[in-house]
Amino acid sequence: MRSGNEPVNARSPLRLRFWLSLWGLVWAVAGAAAFSLVGRPGWAAACAVLAVVATVDLAVVLHHIHQGPHYQPGRDIPPYEPPRGR
């Protein structure tokens, strides 16, 4: 079912984003540790920044998952307008 205004009220597959964020976090932390051990501080810092970004994304995704079905797409949840009281 399409509402016709998906770019405005699009919902993302949060469980997929959760696992991709977790995968990115694991690789970024591993990269930061590996580059630190071989003496590449620039690359280690870049991986550490990516780890922070992945952690923030993971926190946002978990927050939305805990908010309930409004932010979780599914076949049994039709698209609807977001609350306007905020």
Side-chain angles (χ1 to χ4, degrees), residues 47-67:
C47 286
V49 168
L50 284 175
V52 169
V53 169
T55 302
V56 169
D57 186 44
L58 198 58
V60 168
V61 168
L62 286 174
H63 175 70
H64 284 288
I65 286 174
H66 286 269
Q67 284 183 327

Side-chain angles (χ1 to χ4, degrees), residues 4 15 23-24 26 29 32 35 41 44 50 81 83 85:
R15 287 181 181 82
W23 182 253
V26 167
V29 168
F35 283 123
L50 284 175
E81 296 290 327

Side-chain angles (χ1 to χ4, degrees), residues 25-38 40-41 43-49 51:
L25 179 63
V26 167
W27 277 102
V29 168
F35 283 123
S36 293
L37 290 174
V38 296
R40 298 283 190 170
W43 286 103
C47 286
V49 168

